[in-house]
Amino acid sequence: MRKGKLAKLYTLTTAAALVGSLILPVAPQTAHADRGVVDLWKAIKPLTTIASAMNTGAHPDDEHSSTLAYLSLGRGVDTSSIIANRGEGGQNEIGSELGNALGIIRTRELQEASKITNIHLENLSEKINDPIFDFGFSKSPDETLEKWGEEVAYERLIRKIRTLRPDVVIPAFLNEPSTHGHHRAINVITVRAYKDAADPTVFPEQLKEGLTPWQVKKLYLPAKENDYTVSVPVGAYDEVYGASYVQLGEESRFMHKSQGMGRLYDEGPSFSYYKLDQSVVKGKSKETDFFDGVAYTFTDLAKDVASQSGGDKVASDLQKLQKDADEVIAAYPRFGTVAKEVHDMIADVEKATADVQASKLSADTKTDLLHRLGVKAAQLNKASTESLSLVTKVKPETGELVAGQTTKVTVTAYNGGQVKLGKVDLKLNVPKGWKATPQGTTSFNQLSYNQTVKTTYNVSVPADAALFQPYAAPSLTADVSYSFSGATATSHAVPTDAIAVLPAFALTLSPNATVLNTLKPQEPIPVKVTVKNYNPGATQANISLDVPKGWTVEPKATPLDFAAKGETKSVAFTVKAASSVKPDSYKVTAVASSGGTESKHGAQVIRYAHIGTTYFVQPAELSIQAFDLQVPEGLKVGYVSSGFDNIDQYLQQLGVQVTNLTAKDIESGDLSQYNTIVLGIRAYGFRPELIPSNARLLKYVENGGNLVVQYHKPEDKWKPELAPYPIKIGEPLIQWRVTDENSKVTMLTPDHPLFNSPNKITDQDWNNWIQDRSAYNPAQWGKEYTELISNGDAGEKEFTGTFLSAKYGKGTYTYSSLVWYREIPALVPGAIRLFVNMVSLHQ
């Protein structure tokens, strides 16, 4: 990031200006002329305190953003956020990605949000398909921990606490029945970890790795205004940032665009409340601060150390660091003066570290002091970079690599400050097994104002290099060390976008999931394989399909020639199942063979302005679900997509004639040409033409049409009167859903056409559903509706409004809160058979 040195402070004078700054692309970074002094303040404020805090949550966006902004940006506290999973099970409000692809998006959004509040982010989930995943809504912490693997989740949380050693820990949620089971699970293990992280008999293998037990000083839980220990003034206005901490927190929340997060808040007082749950220091019923009774400054730490045998010298060092920090702050915003004070403090931290190591203090005290000094050293490196207006970059020739490739990567350092730097060393960091060879000098005697030094490296990627993992640390980074005012600092640089090792040939199958109708087993399955060449230059590949035993594919293989990297070509295949094919799940895999190696993966490019570019590498497979399915000939469906599902694509694969309806179609088109019109999930909230045209939709039904409406939330502009007979959505929403995908379903009216034509629906059709049964079920509905099913989670009253259908005039109106948008892409046979029945009424 470039840094500017200015005389005026960054201001966000209105909430509108706050949002205006958010809609600008963040990758590549847009230069703001007034950000230099704000970045400088963000870097030096943490030097004033040795305190630390940790917030724990389950999903991206669970973080207490306003409180984190207050602690980190306002108080300078070393603040961390520990989030369990990646949000894979959620919905997507900016695109069609779901599952792991959505988890990648939400992770990147969380990373960008954390940069805004200047916090340290960690996830318990470590990789794609990790045990700690977002498996969908849960009502139970026990179910959550069972699915995650309680021992796995707990070990990782204890490890984070012992590594980061927070003084204060705050779980984001309470363990209450009205709360998401994932949220409750994080509360349960966080509360338990308060004591266990300090117990050497808990996960003793961590101690063998070098970690030491850590006793958190205080554990706080979220509270309300009528019963709290600490009130956090998140509405306080910070003149440096030109915003309140609520507004700064919301600036970070706007990064969670796939969840539609972020709100506008006016300036003015507001508070967040917390109650002290456990503490090893003497507490009061009302505290002024999270850190009452806890060492907060170097002076506090010095007093503690001075009281111990052999601690006088170290205590003196700590007092000196307090003076250093005060002088850094006093020098603000004079960049050169701040830099001088920062480097004086760097030298004093090095001295204090050496004195601690040589002291006769207890092992526990030494470990604590060395950790806090290590945190301060890292903060000082950042403060040095900012105060010297040093800009360091890693600039790859390409961010898309393949195994065995050689490429060029340049490391640069630019001095935008007014003071001269000495002994600048540029170092490129590469993974184990990679080779980085500099093509010129990596060491420079000096770097003056407005000058750049750089080194280009030849980087060799090994032939066995692993394919890109989106949750791993960046593969290529740089460290730029330099000296100023008698002390050396290091600036750590990472690339703007992901540098990824991708398949030499990325393969995409279309479709990537389909149904094989066992009533027509010899009906051919057309498969298109799109191949993108990621090799650096011209190359050839033989493209083929691996099919199940007894199946056939034509052609057997097709050669492709590529003239350059990035070129894309397609090959068409026809797959036929064995004549004896049985209902089951099958896989077809695409293979690109070249030079004795094979590529069997695809590389989905994920690119959004607010998160930059990343990739999802996954096997190049076509999933085929074989089962009996009757689909009426000539069935015409008009689909009104909200952008949150792709059911229309699957209906087309089944032989249904699907037209995606435009606003003009809905407002003035001939709706009578469609046998059925389907509204996608939450369509009223995201298709603005629907509500003004609702009377046309109801008239379509009255005249004999078949209208299918999928679930809505109340905030999707849903009103009971949008239906021909009122339907009211249940609130709070958390209580009106069925989360057990294996829960028993009873068909209340088994003779209804929806259960009989063209497919006979039996109890077997409710098996093998995924993630959920239903969401946002109705609480009230008109007596005109037929209640089609009853269903509920274990131990709870069953819902009977999940699936409602009514005659209206000559036609039929069906409202369903079953989660079709998850079941259909997952090729759940019963869900597909039932959905076909829904769109086939009156045929």
Side-chain angles (χ1 to χ4, degrees), residues 408-467:
K408 295 184 183 301
V409 180
T410 301
V411 179
T412 67
Y414 166 80
N415 185 354
Q418 301 297 318
V419 300
K420 186 182 299 184
L421 306 182
K423 201 175 185 314
V424 179
D425 290 317
L426 310 181
K427 180 188 175 187
L428 180 67
N429 305 309
V430 299
K432 185 178 180 181
W434 295 37
K435 291 184 179 179
T437 306
Q439 300 306 289
T441 182
T442 60
S443 184
F444 304 86
N445 290 330
Q446 63 180 38
L447 182 61
S448 301
Y449 168 69
N450 212 23
Q451 286 188 344
T452 300
V453 292
K454 63 182 180 180
T455 300
T456 297
Y457 288 79
N458 278 346
V459 175
S460 298
V461 185
D464 60 351
L467 293 173

Side-chain angles (χ1 to χ4, degrees), residues 135-139 143 733-745 769-778 789-803 817-819 822-823:
F135 57 84
F137 194 87
S138 170
K139 296 176 181 176
E143 178 202 32
L733 298 177
I734 193 172
Q735 297 178 4
W736 293 86
R737 59 195 304 165
V738 179
T739 63
D740 182 1
E741 63 272 28
N742 298 311
S743 54
K744 178 176 173 52
V745 177
W769 285 47
I770 67 162
Q771 191 157 322
D772 298 293
R773 284 287 192 200
S774 60
Y776 319 122
N777 284 306
I789 66 171
S790 65
N791 174 237
D793 284 320
E796 298 183 2
K797 183 179 178 180
E798 293 196 342
F799 298 111
T800 58
T802 298
F803 203 3
S817 49
L818 290 165
V819 288
R822 293 199 187 279
E823 310 307 321

Side-chain angles (χ1 to χ4, degrees), residues 590-737:
V591 182
S593 303
S594 178
T597 62
E598 292 184 339
S599 295
K600 293 185 177 183
H601 286 79
Q604 180 180 351
V605 181
I606 298 175
R607 180 180 291 120
Y608 288 95
H610 65 303
I611 60 173
T613 300
T614 187
Y615 305 87
F616 178 29
V617 177
Q618 56 186 322
E621 294 177 339
L622 162 62
S623 298
I624 300 174
Q625 185 68 47
F627 60 93
D628 292 354
L629 179 67
Q630 295 279 6
V631 180
E633 295 289 336
L635 182 61
K636 294 182 67 177
V637 171
Y639 203 92
V640 184
S641 175
S642 57
F644 298 154
D645 69 70
N646 53 6
I647 290 176
D648 54 316
Q649 299 173 28
Y650 289 90
L651 291 176
Q652 288 175 330
Q653 289 181 28
L654 300 175
V656 179
Q657 299 176 40
V658 180
T659 300
N660 282 285
L661 301 185
T662 65
K664 185 176 180 180
D665 293 332
I666 295 165
E667 291 166 346
S668 60
D670 177 15
L671 301 181
S672 67
Q673 64 183 296
Y674 304 106
N675 303 111
T676 300
I677 293 175
V678 179
L679 303 191
I681 58 172
R682 310 182 64 194
Y684 281 103
F686 294 87
R687 293 292 295 266
E689 71 275 13
L690 276 181
I691 290 179
S693 301
N694 195 62
R696 293 192 83 235
L697 292 173
L698 296 184
K699 192 67 176 176
Y700 158 81
V701 179
E702 193 175 5
N703 290 339
N706 180 33
L707 183 63
V708 173
V709 179
Q710 298 179 67
Y711 79 69
H712 281 70
K713 296 181 181 181
E715 59 262 36
D716 296 325
K717 302 180 182 144
W718 178 264
K719 296 185 183 303
E721 57 269 24
L722 289 172
Y725 314 109
I727 293 177
K728 182 181 179 182
I729 312 301
E731 295 185 89
L733 298 177
I734 193 172
Q735 297 178 4
W736 293 86
R737 59 195 304 165

